[in-house]
Amino acid sequence: MKKIAKCSLLFVVSAILLALGTFLSLPESIRATSQDVKVIEITAKKYEYSTSPVHVKAGTKVQLKITAIDHDHGFKIGNVPDGASSSEKAGLVFTSEQECWQLKKGETTMIEFVAQTPGTYSFKCCHTCGLGHKGMKGQIIVEQ
Ligand SMILES: [Cu+2]
């Protein structure tokens, strides 16, 4: 009888330790994910983006925080590297993809994506903002 009690006590203790181990390992994995997020702040004004090219490592979760400072602007980027066919698997995986993000003057727009596939991804302004609008461009370079 005593032996059985001892055995079940051992079982309960190890079950608790196992649950505790699972619980303790959770915050660590959450921490690891947030460490991988790279926040990049960019300002947009006639006729340039402040940071370009933007360099990120493949596999990084990126948050672009873009603020238009002098005028309304836009942000348009393809989800496959320059020169690749648009039917290819997305190299930039957006949380919420848009054809053209509108950047309102004075407001910060957050664009979030995972930089999956190495390559050069060009972006440009897609909100007519003046004479130099067509030359308002930049690049995101995803490195291996
Ligand atoms: Cu423009």
Side-chain angles (χ1 to χ4, degrees):
M1 275 299 263
K2 257 190 176 171
K3 200 176 177 188
I4 292 169
K6 229 180 195 174
C7 272
S8 54
L9 184 69
L10 199 69
F11 177 77
V12 169
V13 168
S14 48
I16 289 170
L17 285 179
L18 195 71
L20 199 68
T22 312
F23 177 75
L24 287 178
S25 66
L26 267 180
E28 200 184 349
S29 62
I30 291 166
R31 246 201 327 271
T33 318
S34 62
Q35 265 178 355
D36 284 344
V37 177
K38 186 166 182 177
V39 178
I40 299 164
E41 292 184 24
I42 302 175
T43 56
K45 65 169 192 203
K46 289 183 181 182
Y47 297 99
E48 60 182 16
Y49 296 94
S50 61
T51 313
S52 174
V54 173
H55 290 267
V56 293
K57 283 240 174 282
T60 312
K61 188 167 188 180
V62 180
Q63 273 181 359
L64 294 181
K65 290 185 172 173
I66 314 181
T67 312
I69 49 179
D70 63 340
H71 193 277
D72 288 358
H73 290 285
F75 184 87
K76 183 184 169 78
I77 190 168
N79 65 5
V80 293
D82 294 356
S85 141
S86 57
S87 59
E88 263 183 48
K89 199 168 141 271
L92 299 182
V93 182
F94 292 90
T95 305
S96 147
E97 193 162 2
Q98 282 184 37
E99 179 67 24
C100 172
W101 279 271
Q102 294 296 323
L103 311 172
K104 294 269 165 227
K105 182 185 170 181
E107 287 177 22
T108 300
T109 304
M110 215 217 338
I111 299 170
E112 203 176 50
F113 61 89
V114 176
Q116 204 91 274
T117 314
T120 299
Y121 300 79
S122 291
F123 58 82
K124 62 181 179 188
C125 180
C126 53
H127 178 97
T128 310
C129 56
L131 284 174
H133 165 68
K134 283 216 166 85
M136 189 167 168
K137 293 171 180 171
Q139 288 177 326
I140 293 175
I141 298 173
V142 181
E143 288 152 356
Q144 199 87 51

